[in-house]
Amino acid sequence: MAEVVIVPDRVTAGGLVADEIAALLRRRPDAVLGLATGSTPLPVYQALRARLEGVDTSQVRGFALDEYIGIDPAHPESYSSVIAREVVEPLGLDPALIRTPPADDPDIATAGERYDDAIRAAGGVDIQILGIGTDGHIGFNEPGSSFASRTRVKTLTRQTREDNARFFDSIDEVPRHCLTQGLGTILEARHLVLLAFGEGKAAAIAGAVEGPVTAMVPGTAIQLHPHVTVIVDEAAASKLRLDQYYRDTFDNKPAWQGI
Ligand code: F6R
């Protein structure tokens, strides 16, 4: 089962994940990071900055989970801009080694296949950071997405477009389509780290961690993976039935295990 870590706040969560990534990069300077966007992973990227001071990050490789279709790549809310601003520049990564799904590819029907090939050629993702949508999506795999899905074009739900309208001037500006890693693609990463904060994510987290495995809650795909860490604040944990067990487990965990 997923290891569930309940933390007091997002800064603590960011620190835990940043410790893990920094240790990985000290062992393997060319490790492959799976990068999420949205607001959830920001505390991880912020905490990493301090931890990577003095660490050579020039060989780090990375693949973003998803990208909007129909948005100028230079738009500040395109995910390639977000990754450049929040990850590549502050951490001193080589932009040529950090990729976002090529949503402006003229051959969009096969662009996903090539993206998956590139992930495979890099040796696969070592640690995949994930957020979760209020409708249970991971990446932009909306409810109903196949657990075997690969990187491909998806249509965003009305709910997701409403949730993401906060990044734009209005919901009409939120793109309707995206190129997203599939659930099958995400499940190939060696370690999944799913973060969620706030009451609005409590139902999605309870479904993903403890609910029956179903394509209607794409986050339940994590139950099929052998190494998953779910890090949540108290509000996002508030609908978990086994919360006391998760707390006992983490409090009594040997330090050498990390997350
Ligand atoms: C973003 C992504 C999405 C977000 C999810 C939560 O790359 O893949 O699954 O993680 O929509 O978004 P936030 O973090 O903004 O609540």
PDB file of all heavy atoms in Angstrom, residues 87-113:
ATOM      1  N   VAL A  87      11.292  25.831 -11.761  1.00  0.00           N
ATOM      2  CA  VAL A  87      12.201  24.696 -11.570  1.00  0.00           C
ATOM      3  C   VAL A  87      13.557  24.950 -12.233  1.00  0.00           C
ATOM      4  O   VAL A  87      14.589  24.989 -11.555  1.00  0.00           O
ATOM      5  CB  VAL A  87      11.584  23.388 -12.135  1.00  0.00           C
ATOM      6  CG1 VAL A  87      12.485  22.189 -11.825  1.00  0.00           C
ATOM      7  CG2 VAL A  87      10.183  23.156 -11.584  1.00  0.00           C
ATOM      8  N   VAL A  88      13.546  25.138 -13.545  1.00  0.00           N
ATOM      9  CA  VAL A  88      14.811  25.183 -14.293  1.00  0.00           C
ATOM     10  C   VAL A  88      15.688  26.357 -13.847  1.00  0.00           C
ATOM     11  O   VAL A  88      16.854  26.163 -13.479  1.00  0.00           O
ATOM     12  CB  VAL A  88      14.535  25.244 -15.821  1.00  0.00           C
ATOM     13  CG1 VAL A  88      15.821  25.438 -16.601  1.00  0.00           C
ATOM     14  CG2 VAL A  88      13.829  23.969 -16.264  1.00  0.00           C
ATOM     15  N   GLU A  89      15.102  27.569 -13.839  1.00  0.00           N
ATOM     16  CA  GLU A  89      15.925  28.742 -13.508  1.00  0.00           C
ATOM     17  C   GLU A  89      16.377  28.731 -12.054  1.00  0.00           C
ATOM     18  O   GLU A  89      17.576  28.792 -11.790  1.00  0.00           O
ATOM     19  CB  GLU A  89      15.182  30.035 -13.869  1.00  0.00           C
ATOM     20  CG  GLU A  89      15.119  30.232 -15.379  1.00  0.00           C
ATOM     21  CD  GLU A  89      13.973  31.132 -15.842  1.00  0.00           C
ATOM     22  OE1 GLU A  89      13.432  31.903 -15.022  1.00  0.00           O
ATOM     23  OE2 GLU A  89      13.610  31.045 -17.039  1.00  0.00           O
ATOM     24  N   PRO A  90      15.455  28.589 -11.081  1.00  0.00           N
ATOM     25  CA  PRO A  90      15.924  28.645  -9.689  1.00  0.00           C
ATOM     26  C   PRO A  90      16.871  27.525  -9.302  1.00  0.00           C
ATOM     27  O   PRO A  90      17.729  27.711  -8.440  1.00  0.00           O
ATOM     28  CB  PRO A  90      14.641  28.588  -8.851  1.00  0.00           C
ATOM     29  CG  PRO A  90      13.523  28.300  -9.770  1.00  0.00           C
ATOM     30  CD  PRO A  90      13.980  28.543 -11.161  1.00  0.00           C
ATOM     31  N   LEU A  91      16.751  26.357  -9.925  1.00  0.00           N
ATOM     32  CA  LEU A  91      17.622  25.236  -9.529  1.00  0.00           C
ATOM     33  C   LEU A  91      18.856  25.124 -10.412  1.00  0.00           C
ATOM     34  O   LEU A  91      19.688  24.233 -10.211  1.00  0.00           O
ATOM     35  CB  LEU A  91      16.831  23.912  -9.563  1.00  0.00           C
ATOM     36  CG  LEU A  91      15.584  23.857  -8.673  1.00  0.00           C
ATOM     37  CD1 LEU A  91      14.930  22.486  -8.754  1.00  0.00           C
ATOM     38  CD2 LEU A  91      15.930  24.191  -7.222  1.00  0.00           C
ATOM     39  N   GLY A  92      18.973  26.017 -11.387  1.00  0.00           N
ATOM     40  CA  GLY A  92      20.161  26.012 -12.249  1.00  0.00           C
ATOM     41  C   GLY A  92      20.258  24.773 -13.118  1.00  0.00           C
ATOM     42  O   GLY A  92      21.345  24.258 -13.368  1.00  0.00           O
ATOM     43  N   LEU A  93      19.108  24.267 -13.609  1.00  0.00           N
ATOM     44  CA  LEU A  93      19.136  23.086 -14.463  1.00  0.00           C
ATOM     45  C   LEU A  93      19.412  23.496 -15.909  1.00  0.00           C
ATOM     46  O   LEU A  93      19.242  24.662 -16.289  1.00  0.00           O
ATOM     47  CB  LEU A  93      17.802  22.330 -14.385  1.00  0.00           C
ATOM     48  CG  LEU A  93      17.258  22.012 -12.986  1.00  0.00           C
ATOM     49  CD1 LEU A  93      16.031  21.102 -13.098  1.00  0.00           C
ATOM     50  CD2 LEU A  93      18.305  21.358 -12.102  1.00  0.00           C
ATOM     51  N   ASP A  94      19.840  22.518 -16.706  1.00  0.00           N
ATOM     52  CA  ASP A  94      20.082  22.773 -18.120  1.00  0.00           C
ATOM     53  C   ASP A  94      18.744  22.667 -18.860  1.00  0.00           C
ATOM     54  O   ASP A  94      18.162  21.579 -18.925  1.00  0.00           O
ATOM     55  CB  ASP A  94      21.075  21.719 -18.649  1.00  0.00           C
ATOM     56  CG  ASP A  94      21.341  21.882 -20.136  1.00  0.00           C
ATOM     57  OD1 ASP A  94      20.660  22.690 -20.797  1.00  0.00           O
ATOM     58  OD2 ASP A  94      22.239  21.170 -20.632  1.00  0.00           O
ATOM     59  N   PRO A  95      18.226  23.768 -19.432  1.00  0.00           N
ATOM     60  CA  PRO A  95      16.903  23.732 -20.079  1.00  0.00           C
ATOM     61  C   PRO A  95      16.812  22.671 -21.170  1.00  0.00           C
ATOM     62  O   PRO A  95      15.720  22.134 -21.423  1.00  0.00           O
ATOM     63  CB  PRO A  95      16.737  25.127 -20.684  1.00  0.00           C
ATOM     64  CG  PRO A  95      17.882  25.948 -20.228  1.00  0.00           C
ATOM     65  CD  PRO A  95      18.882  25.084 -19.524  1.00  0.00           C
ATOM     66  N   ALA A  96      17.939  22.325 -21.796  1.00  0.00           N
ATOM     67  CA  ALA A  96      17.903  21.338 -22.880  1.00  0.00           C
ATOM     68  C   ALA A  96      17.579  19.939 -22.354  1.00  0.00           C
ATOM     69  O   ALA A  96      17.165  19.060 -23.114  1.00  0.00           O
ATOM     70  CB  ALA A  96      19.240  21.317 -23.602  1.00  0.00           C
ATOM     71  N   LEU A  97      17.769  19.728 -21.030  1.00  0.00           N
ATOM     72  CA  LEU A  97      17.551  18.390 -20.459  1.00  0.00           C
ATOM     73  C   LEU A  97      16.190  18.253 -19.779  1.00  0.00           C
ATOM     74  O   LEU A  97      15.868  17.202 -19.227  1.00  0.00           O
ATOM     75  CB  LEU A  97      18.665  18.069 -19.452  1.00  0.00           C
ATOM     76  CG  LEU A  97      20.100  18.043 -20.012  1.00  0.00           C
ATOM     77  CD1 LEU A  97      21.096  17.716 -18.909  1.00  0.00           C
ATOM     78  CD2 LEU A  97      20.207  17.028 -21.146  1.00  0.00           C
ATOM     79  N   ILE A  98      15.416  19.330 -19.791  1.00  0.00           N
ATOM     80  CA  ILE A  98      14.116  19.318 -19.103  1.00  0.00           C
ATOM     81  C   ILE A  98      13.031  19.502 -20.157  1.00  0.00           C
ATOM     82  O   ILE A  98      12.987  20.527 -20.845  1.00  0.00           O
ATOM     83  CB  ILE A  98      14.034  20.467 -18.062  1.00  0.00           C
ATOM     84  CG1 ILE A  98      15.261  20.460 -17.133  1.00  0.00           C
ATOM     85  CG2 ILE A  98      12.719  20.393 -17.278  1.00  0.00           C
ATOM     86  CD1 ILE A  98      15.432  19.231 -16.274  1.00  0.00           C
ATOM     87  N   ARG A  99      12.159  18.502 -20.276  1.00  0.00           N
ATOM     88  CA  ARG A  99      11.187  18.532 -21.367  1.00  0.00           C
ATOM     89  C   ARG A  99       9.749  18.615 -20.867  1.00  0.00           C
ATOM     90  O   ARG A  99       9.443  18.122 -19.784  1.00  0.00           O
ATOM     91  CB  ARG A  99      11.355  17.280 -22.229  1.00  0.00           C
ATOM     92  CG  ARG A  99      12.768  17.227 -22.793  1.00  0.00           C
ATOM     93  CD  ARG A  99      13.008  16.029 -23.643  1.00  0.00           C
ATOM     94  NE  ARG A  99      12.068  15.936 -24.764  1.00  0.00           N
ATOM     95  CZ  ARG A  99      12.246  15.116 -25.787  1.00  0.00           C
ATOM     96  NH1 ARG A  99      13.309  14.344 -25.858  1.00  0.00           N
ATOM     97  NH2 ARG A  99      11.353  15.060 -26.751  1.00  0.00           N
ATOM     98  N   THR A 100       8.923  19.259 -21.667  1.00  0.00           N
ATOM     99  CA  THR A 100       7.475  19.283 -21.403  1.00  0.00           C
ATOM    100  C   THR A 100       6.821  18.614 -22.613  1.00  0.00           C
ATOM    101  O   THR A 100       7.372  18.702 -23.713  1.00  0.00           O
ATOM    102  CB  THR A 100       6.931  20.737 -21.336  1.00  0.00           C
ATOM    103  OG1 THR A 100       7.995  21.642 -21.308  1.00  0.00           O
ATOM    104  CG2 THR A 100       6.090  20.966 -20.135  1.00  0.00           C
ATOM    105  N   PRO A 101       5.682  17.951 -22.450  1.00  0.00           N
ATOM    106  CA  PRO A 101       5.044  17.356 -23.617  1.00  0.00           C
ATOM    107  C   PRO A 101       4.884  18.420 -24.716  1.00  0.00           C
ATOM    108  O   PRO A 101       4.414  19.529 -24.442  1.00  0.00           O
ATOM    109  CB  PRO A 101       3.689  16.881 -23.080  1.00  0.00           C
ATOM    110  CG  PRO A 101       3.941  16.636 -21.627  1.00  0.00           C
ATOM    111  CD  PRO A 101       4.926  17.685 -21.203  1.00  0.00           C
ATOM    112  N   PRO A 102       5.296  18.088 -25.952  1.00  0.00           N
ATOM    113  CA  PRO A 102       5.313  19.084 -27.032  1.00  0.00           C
ATOM    114  C   PRO A 102       3.922  19.337 -27.599  1.00  0.00           C
ATOM    115  O   PRO A 102       3.579  18.862 -28.676  1.00  0.00           O
ATOM    116  CB  PRO A 102       6.251  18.450 -28.063  1.00  0.00           C
ATOM    117  CG  PRO A 102       6.094  16.979 -27.845  1.00  0.00           C
ATOM    118  CD  PRO A 102       5.758  16.763 -26.391  1.00  0.00           C
ATOM    119  N   ALA A 103       3.142  20.133 -26.883  1.00  0.00           N
ATOM    120  CA  ALA A 103       1.734  20.334 -27.241  1.00  0.00           C
ATOM    121  C   ALA A 103       1.573  21.198 -28.481  1.00  0.00           C
ATOM    122  O   ALA A 103       0.463  21.332 -28.997  1.00  0.00           O
ATOM    123  CB  ALA A 103       0.997  20.947 -26.061  1.00  0.00           C
ATOM    124  N   ASP A 104       2.673  21.817 -28.954  1.00  0.00           N
ATOM    125  CA  ASP A 104       2.591  22.619 -30.180  1.00  0.00           C
ATOM    126  C   ASP A 104       3.126  21.836 -31.383  1.00  0.00           C
ATOM    127  O   ASP A 104       3.304  22.387 -32.460  1.00  0.00           O
ATOM    128  CB  ASP A 104       3.350  23.945 -30.013  1.00  0.00           C
ATOM    129  CG  ASP A 104       4.812  23.731 -29.641  1.00  0.00           C
ATOM    130  OD1 ASP A 104       5.197  22.583 -29.278  1.00  0.00           O
ATOM    131  OD2 ASP A 104       5.593  24.700 -29.711  1.00  0.00           O
ATOM    132  N   ASP A 105       3.383  20.530 -31.188  1.00  0.00           N
ATOM    133  CA  ASP A 105       3.895  19.691 -32.275  1.00  0.00           C
ATOM    134  C   ASP A 105       2.846  19.630 -33.396  1.00  0.00           C
ATOM    135  O   ASP A 105       1.680  19.314 -33.126  1.00  0.00           O
ATOM    136  CB  ASP A 105       4.153  18.273 -31.723  1.00  0.00           C
ATOM    137  CG  ASP A 105       4.959  17.408 -32.683  1.00  0.00           C
ATOM    138  OD1 ASP A 105       4.634  17.403 -33.891  1.00  0.00           O
ATOM    139  OD2 ASP A 105       5.892  16.744 -32.218  1.00  0.00           O
ATOM    140  N   PRO A 106       3.236  19.923 -34.640  1.00  0.00           N
ATOM    141  CA  PRO A 106       2.253  19.863 -35.728  1.00  0.00           C
ATOM    142  C   PRO A 106       1.672  18.457 -35.899  1.00  0.00           C
ATOM    143  O   PRO A 106       0.535  18.303 -36.341  1.00  0.00           O
ATOM    144  CB  PRO A 106       3.041  20.285 -36.976  1.00  0.00           C
ATOM    145  CG  PRO A 106       4.440  20.547 -36.548  1.00  0.00           C
ATOM    146  CD  PRO A 106       4.563  20.371 -35.066  1.00  0.00           C
ATOM    147  N   ASP A 107       2.452  17.439 -35.503  1.00  0.00           N
ATOM    148  CA  ASP A 107       1.928  16.068 -35.582  1.00  0.00           C
ATOM    149  C   ASP A 107       1.499  15.625 -34.172  1.00  0.00           C
ATOM    150  O   ASP A 107       2.090  14.735 -33.562  1.00  0.00           O
ATOM    151  CB  ASP A 107       3.009  15.139 -36.154  1.00  0.00           C
ATOM    152  CG  ASP A 107       2.458  13.748 -36.433  1.00  0.00           C
ATOM    153  OD1 ASP A 107       1.235  13.551 -36.254  1.00  0.00           O
ATOM    154  OD2 ASP A 107       3.246  12.871 -36.803  1.00  0.00           O
ATOM    155  N   ILE A 108       0.443  16.280 -33.692  1.00  0.00           N
ATOM    156  CA  ILE A 108       0.044  16.093 -32.287  1.00  0.00           C
ATOM    157  C   ILE A 108      -0.426  14.653 -32.025  1.00  0.00           C
ATOM    158  O   ILE A 108      -0.285  14.147 -30.909  1.00  0.00           O
ATOM    159  CB  ILE A 108      -1.039  17.140 -31.890  1.00  0.00           C
ATOM    160  CG1 ILE A 108      -1.226  17.196 -30.373  1.00  0.00           C
ATOM    161  CG2 ILE A 108      -2.353  16.913 -32.607  1.00  0.00           C
ATOM    162  CD1 ILE A 108      -0.111  17.818 -29.615  1.00  0.00           C
ATOM    163  N   ALA A 109      -0.946  13.991 -33.060  1.00  0.00           N
ATOM    164  CA  ALA A 109      -1.482  12.636 -32.861  1.00  0.00           C
ATOM    165  C   ALA A 109      -0.386  11.654 -32.443  1.00  0.00           C
ATOM    166  O   ALA A 109      -0.663  10.673 -31.747  1.00  0.00           O
ATOM    167  CB  ALA A 109      -2.180  12.151 -34.122  1.00  0.00           C
ATOM    168  N   THR A 110       0.859  11.910 -32.860  1.00  0.00           N
ATOM    169  CA  THR A 110       1.936  10.973 -32.524  1.00  0.00           C
ATOM    170  C   THR A 110       2.949  11.589 -31.554  1.00  0.00           C
ATOM    171  O   THR A 110       3.924  10.939 -31.176  1.00  0.00           O
ATOM    172  CB  THR A 110       2.682  10.503 -33.789  1.00  0.00           C
ATOM    173  OG1 THR A 110       3.228  11.657 -34.439  1.00  0.00           O
ATOM    174  CG2 THR A 110       1.758   9.778 -34.743  1.00  0.00           C
ATOM    175  N   ALA A 111       2.711  12.829 -31.141  1.00  0.00           N
ATOM    176  CA  ALA A 111       3.679  13.525 -30.277  1.00  0.00           C
ATOM    177  C   ALA A 111       3.829  12.798 -28.937  1.00  0.00           C
ATOM    178  O   ALA A 111       4.926  12.725 -28.373  1.00  0.00           O
ATOM    179  CB  ALA A 111       3.234  14.964 -30.056  1.00  0.00           C
ATOM    180  N   GLY A 112       2.729  12.253 -28.431  1.00  0.00           N
ATOM    181  CA  GLY A 112       2.773  11.563 -27.148  1.00  0.00           C
ATOM    182  C   GLY A 112       3.652  10.327 -27.194  1.00  0.00           C
ATOM    183  O   GLY A 112       4.407  10.047 -26.254  1.00  0.00           O
ATOM    184  N   GLU A 113       3.535   9.616 -28.299  1.00  0.00           N
ATOM    185  CA  GLU A 113       4.344   8.400 -28.470  1.00  0.00           C
ATOM    186  C   GLU A 113       5.844   8.748 -28.414  1.00  0.00           C
ATOM    187  O   GLU A 113       6.629   8.065 -27.767  1.00  0.00           O
ATOM    188  CB  GLU A 113       4.030   7.842 -29.848  1.00  0.00           C
ATOM    189  CG  GLU A 113       3.953   6.347 -29.953  1.00  0.00           C
ATOM    190  CD  GLU A 113       3.448   5.992 -31.348  1.00  0.00           C
ATOM    191  OE1 GLU A 113       2.243   6.209 -31.629  1.00  0.00           O
ATOM    192  OE2 GLU A 113       4.276   5.542 -32.142  1.00  0.00           O
TER     193      GLU A 113
END
